[in-house]
Amino acid sequence: MNLHEYQGKEILNSFGVRIQRGIVASNHKAAVDAAKQLTVETGTSWYVVKAQVHAGGRGKGGGVKLAKNLAEVESISNDIIGMMLVTPQTSAEGKKVNQVLICEDVYYPGDSEPEEYYMSVLLNRNTGKNMIMYSTEGGMDIETVAEETPHLIFTEEIDPTMGLLPFQARKIAFNLGLSGVALKEMTKFVSALYTAYIKSDSSMFEINPVLKTSDSKILAVDAKVTLDENALYRHKDYALMRDLREENPIEVEAKAAGLNYVDLDGNVGCMVNGAGLAMGTMDLIKQAGGEPANFLDVGGTADAARVETAFGIILKDPNVKAILVNIFGGIVRCDRVAQGVVDAYKSMGDKINVPIICRLQGTNAVEAKELIDNSGMEIISATEFQEAADKVADVLGL
Ligand code: GDP
Ligand code: MN
């Protein structure tokens, strides 16, 4: 689960990671109040107004702006809230900004050379160990650094049984070219960051930039935090941070209905039981020349209500030109599923405006096929997997 910058910073702060302070606001009046409050708390007289959306590169897209007084806070916030922010990481249409984070300005006026670093914590899937990836080239797109100056990216792997050792944190600070107070501060920052990563059950932290101020403080100016959804049951407070406005609306609806649905770009809707069979079905559709429009695992109980919900969700995607139902009846009997498909089809009437190919295999498959063939509905039945895929290709004219 992805978080907004302000939520990520909240988590970092709770583990003692120094952050650029900020207060979130959803309208320009609240933004001004936030700025006043920040001045009381930090003494700052300049502010940074930062769009809160689940996408990076906001600075480049005009979603991060410096405000030198309260009037500027108000007008910049007014401009940014409600805008469609386009960044190198969003679609061309952009993402709607619902909130801004009003931050203290930490690039002190007159500070000629603030140092920016890159730091992320993530799992190296090849070695099965967490690692800290870091670079002196902060504030830039790390993919560009990786392409143009790969020797400026360092990694430090962490042994899961030992955790981050003090010498490793010092080595990171040293490789970033730090000494004296800044080296000590960075060592503390790295240790706290790693603790936060482990304790919050995150799957990724990306702090770009980490800033060294002219008085040698080290702090997180940005925070991209991805939580491991499977561990959310241990963090009820983090679960509340989910912002559904940032997620695909069809996926949100499917999730609420208990369906395992992932939206894809193709034109063949899939309704399958079991994740493995769903993957296999997508492969076969591709082999037959089609493109899957979604991954959908309806789970074990494919009754009429569930099938109807699933059809409804698949049909929300305007790209869908055909639907392939591929169900293996093991515990659930095929004739029950077939009845479900027929009932759903009947009750949905002309909402179903694309051909449906239905393959049911397993317990009572013969009865199921009869049920479908005799239903009087325009459902094309198939027995074999390949046959089903070929029939999909047929209706699409491939
Ligand atoms: P991103 O563009 O989405 O990665 O957003 P960031 O939070 O990284 O901010 C983008 C850029 O805004 C940073 O790289 C900084 O250069 C700039 N920025 C952030 N905070 C401050 C600040 O307090 N003062 C000034 N002057 N610039 C800032
Ligand atoms: Mn950033």
Side-chain angles (χ1 to χ4, degrees):
M1 177 174 109
N2 292 328
L3 297 182
H4 285 295
E5 174 194 359
Y6 78 93
Q7 298 166 323
K9 280 178 165 170
E10 223 168 84
I11 293 179
L12 294 186
N13 185 47
S14 73
F15 290 100
V17 179
R18 194 196 292 269
I19 53 163
Q20 175 195 39
R21 298 286 313 278
I23 298 173
V24 74
S26 33
N27 62 62
H28 58 281
K29 294 282 175 228
V32 173
D33 292 341
K36 286 182 185 156
Q37 178 68 26
L38 272 177
T39 296
V40 173
E41 286 176 20
T42 68
T44 191
S45 50
W46 288 6
Y47 314 90
V48 188
V49 181
K50 308 179 82 176
Q52 299 297 289
V53 289
H54 288 188
R58 294 164 303 166
K60 285 190 191 119
V64 177
K65 293 214 162 116
L66 186 67
K68 296 187 177 171
N69 53 51
L70 293 176
E72 284 182 14
V73 168
E74 180 159 7
S75 69
I76 294 170
S77 300
N78 197 30
D79 290 344
I80 292 182
I81 295 170
M83 82 187 280
M84 293 297 288
L85 180 62
V86 180
T87 83
Q89 294 185 18
T90 65
S91 63
E93 163 196 9
K95 288 205 118 176
K96 177 142 186 256
V97 183
N98 296 304
Q99 290 165 302
V100 287
L101 184 62
I102 307 299
C103 290
E104 58 173 328
D105 175 28
V106 286
Y107 291 58
Y108 308 137
D111 191 349
S112 52
E113 290 274 313
E115 292 285 345
E116 292 182 320
Y117 312 103
Y118 172 92
M119 193 169 292
S120 58
V121 190
L122 68 165
L123 177 66
N124 180 346
R125 290 179 187 277
N126 293 326
T127 61
K129 291 178 183 167
N130 287 316
M131 63 180 180
I132 298 178
M133 193 184 282
Y134 60 104
S135 174
T136 48
E137 306 305 289
M140 295 175 48
D141 185 15
I142 197 66
E143 283 78 13
T144 313
V145 181
E147 216 162 273
E148 291 169 8
T149 48
H151 60 284
L152 294 178
I153 298 181
F154 301 91
T155 55
E156 186 67 28
E157 289 220 340
I158 294 122
D159 188 296
T161 58
M162 313 265 252
L164 179 75
L165 296 170
F167 88 89
Q168 294 182 293
R170 280 198 301 274
K171 179 168 140 200
I172 290 171
F174 187 76
N175 280 342
L176 289 172
L178 300 172
S179 57
V181 178
L183 184 132
K184 281 208 186 100
E185 286 284 314
M186 180 59 88
T187 307
K188 271 203 303 204
F189 182 91
V190 172
S191 307
L193 192 68
Y194 190 70
T195 303
Y197 174 82
I198 295 294
K199 294 247 170 91
S200 62
D201 286 314
S202 288
S203 53
M204 204 213 33
F205 274 4
E206 187 179 56
I207 317 298
N208 187 20
V210 173
L211 181 76
K212 176 169 85 79
T213 61
S214 48
D215 54 353
S216 294
K217 284 196 196 103
I218 304 291
L219 49 92
V221 167
D222 194 4
K224 192 169 177 188
V225 168
T226 307
L227 299 172
D228 179 354
E229 294 212 13
N230 296 314
L232 275 183
Y233 73 97
R234 296 206 281 229
H235 306 280
K236 301 277 187 281
D237 48 338
Y238 297 170
L240 298 175
M241 292 179 172
R242 169 161 254 138
D243 186 350
L244 294 177
R245 295 172 295 188
E246 294 287 330
E247 297 181 19
N248 178 313
I250 310 182
E251 290 183 5
V252 171
E253 191 185 332
K255 190 164 198 162
L259 298 169
N260 215 333
Y261 173 94
V262 181
D263 196 20
L264 299 170
D265 295 333
N267 54 4
V268 182
C270 310
M271 190 191 309
V272 189
N273 67 337
L277 187 58
M279 301 292 277
T281 304
M282 286 159 47
D283 282 348
L284 222 73
I285 288 172
K286 260 187 110 82
Q287 259 183 28
E291 285 287 338
N294 65 274
F295 168 99
L296 174 58
D297 173 8
V298 284
T301 51
D303 55 20
R306 226 171 144 71
V307 170
E308 186 171 337
T309 311
F311 273 140
I313 283 168
I314 293 173
L315 287 167
K316 286 228 160 93
D317 178 351
N319 297 327
V320 169
K321 297 289 176 277
I323 297 176
L324 172 57
V325 180
N326 189 13
I327 305 267
F328 176 77
I331 295 168
V332 53
R333 288 176 0 228
C334 290
D335 52 331
R336 270 205 60 195
V337 179
Q339 193 62 53
V341 171
V342 171
D343 291 349
Y345 198 102
K346 261 187 209 154
S347 99
M348 294 185 76
D350 51 7
K351 269 190 253 158
I352 297 189
N353 49 6
V354 298
I356 291 182
I357 295 88
C358 188
R359 179 223 178 206
L360 297 163
Q361 207 34 290
T363 311
N364 289 2
V366 177
E367 290 84 342
K369 186 168 173 3
E370 268 173 26
L371 225 154
I372 289 190
D373 290 342
N374 299 332
S375 68
M377 306 281 143
E378 286 176 63
I379 308 174
I380 304 163
S381 69
T383 311
E384 298 304 323
F385 204 162
Q386 185 64 53
E387 177 195 357
D390 289 343
K391 285 183 169 166
V392 169
D394 270 357
V395 301
L396 292 175
L398 298 169

